[in-house]
Amino acid sequence: MDVVVVGGGPNGLMLACELALGGVRPVVLERRAEPSDEPRSNGLVGQVVRVVDRRGLHEALSGRPGPPRPNNGYFMFAALPLDLSMVADSPVHTLPVPELTTVRVLERRANDLGADIRRGHEFTGLAQDEDGVTLTVDSPAGTYELRARYVVGADSAHSPVRKAVGIGFPGVTHDRTTSRTAHVALPADWIDPATGALTVPGHGPIRPFLPIRTAHGGFSYAPLPGHPPLVTTVEWDAPETDGPMTLAEMRASVSRVLRADVPLGPPPGACPHALRRINGGNTRVADRYRDGRVFLVGDAAHVFAAGGTGLNIGMQDAVNLGWKLAAAVNGGADVLDTYEAERRPAADRAVTYARAQAALLAPGDDVTGLRLLFGELLAQPGVTRAIADLVAGADVRYPVAEDAHPLAGLLAPDLDLRTPDGVVRLADLARKARPLLIDLTGTGGLRADGVEVVRATVDSDTVDVTEATDVTALLLRPDSHVAWASSDAHPDQDALRAAARHWFGAPGSA
């Protein structure tokens, strides 16, 4: 086998799709016979929404037609209001979608692309040498071995793959918090039909999807489409509760946090319902993302105790690694060492994001004072922009040369391009996961060996980043990040070709 992916969750399946787009037929080993119906993540936030749009997955995940639209209104950071109307070209995109739906959409897509998904097959060990990796797998038919050129662990925070190759997972484990989550039924007359806000007598209105902090903990209310309302509480230094989580325990926790009684009824319907308690949390990043021919993505490489960023970061790990592995298999440029160099900074920023939120959500009068000051700072557009970039992951730029164009190393901007065949979205051009050269010079003279060229002008009705940079050419990697760009009327052809050779290999390579 060329590549074996261990783990059939969203990250492993996204990687399988990327490998298949790159001409590699991956094998995916997933120990579960069926996708888990346990409610987990509730959606995607930030750059990852634009990434799935570039692969044509946004409509299937969102359940509505059209491209993603940025949030230009109200958002939250550590239960503090973030007014995104102050931010030009808001980087915050949101895509509310249950994780089970994400898995089903990605699995269907991976199957359509020819991936070999083996459910009920559990990885139990590996041994690697210079030429490949031998895996041991338990299946319903018995134990067997697989030989692969590369292996990727996308197998959760407890990653057996990571442990098998001896990669450390340093970080911090704490037991300060207890979080509880449950699908519930709420009094219909407490919900504002216009805004969706939950009005709690004795407390006041609570806006949907926007967490709040009180002196006694945190609370959020999420009326996800097609599911009963999801309520979550976070309490600090609360005594541990033994035994299974109950609805009565959830109601008592809500009462302590809000200092108001909220009648929580059993959720209607037969779909799987959340009712869970989590004591403590972990923030960890792997010592390294690669050991020889073995790589880590998603929770196998990083976990965060707060902020809900794990899936957002993990799916982008998969998109970054997928085309690079495919290139290595197919004889293209070997850029595998750039994977960790580019993706670790994203994890490090997510650690900062998680820790900052945890500090601002903690109880105590001193934290309340800090929140008042921080709230004043958020009235400044520059501060709000910086926090919005942090929330979205838009403040991570892949390593580039000091004299590189301002767009180099960033996810390509959303552009509407006027071509001889009509107006086309750049996101639609990126669906095949191939290198692209966007020639905006108007002269039609740019080319790079082995790279598809799109000659176009930016549609005059589109407001985009080109107005600030006067960009005339963009060389895009398969993951839609900018490998090279120019703002010159006559771009440097030698620099363009050098960038293409670095990322995509010598002329004639696969």
Side-chain angles (χ1 to χ4, degrees), residues 82 374 377-388:
L82 199 62
F374 204 84
L377 294 174
L378 287 176
Q380 302 178 24
V383 176
T384 295
R385 175 78 214 196
I387 298 299

Side-chain angles (χ1 to χ4, degrees), residues 363-377:
D365 292 341
D366 50 349
V367 176
T368 300
L370 177 62
R371 290 174 60 84
L372 289 172
L373 176 58
F374 204 84
E376 293 174 6
L377 294 174

Side-chain angles (χ1 to χ4, degrees), residues 213-409:
R213 171 196 180 263
T214 74
H216 314 286
F219 177 84
S220 66
Y221 151 69
L224 291 163
H227 292 268
L230 187 72
V231 297
T232 299
T233 61
V234 180
E235 296 182 82
W236 286 264
D237 300 318
E240 283 196 24
T241 304
D242 295 327
M245 171 78 168
T246 65
L247 200 59
E249 179 184 333
M250 184 80 241
R251 182 170 182 173
S253 179
V254 171
S255 178
R256 289 192 297 270
V257 170
L258 298 181
R259 288 300 192 260
D261 184 48
V262 179
L264 306 178
C271 63
H273 298 132
L275 186 62
R276 64 178 179 267
R277 177 198 318 115
I278 299 177
N279 294 312
N282 288 283
T283 297
R284 298 180 178 277
V285 179
D287 278 340
R288 57 193 187 280
Y289 284 19
R290 177 184 187 180
D291 185 273
R293 292 178 172 269
V294 179
F295 295 81
L296 304 176
V297 300
D299 287 354
H302 43 67
V303 292
F304 313 103
T309 57
L311 187 54
N312 303 326
I313 302 295
M315 291 180 68
Q316 292 176 83
D317 291 346
V319 173
N320 185 289
L321 180 60
W323 73 271
K324 296 174 181 178
L325 275 175
V329 168
N330 292 326
D334 184 355
V335 290
L336 289 173
D337 283 342
T338 67
Y339 168 60
E340 180 174 350
E342 293 183 342
R343 294 308 301 160
R344 176 174 285 276
D348 291 341
R349 287 299 287 168
V351 170
T352 297
Y353 176 60
R355 289 175 175 170
Q357 288 208 96
L360 285 165
L361 288 167
D365 292 341
D366 50 349
V367 176
T368 300
L370 177 62
R371 290 174 60 84
L372 289 172
L373 176 58
F374 204 84
E376 293 174 6
L377 294 174
L378 287 176
Q380 302 178 24
V383 176
T384 295
R385 175 78 214 196
I387 298 299
D389 285 341
L390 177 63
V391 168
D395 59 351
V396 176
R397 184 186 189 190
Y398 292 164
V400 295
E402 289 186 4
D403 59 349
H405 190 277
L407 289 179

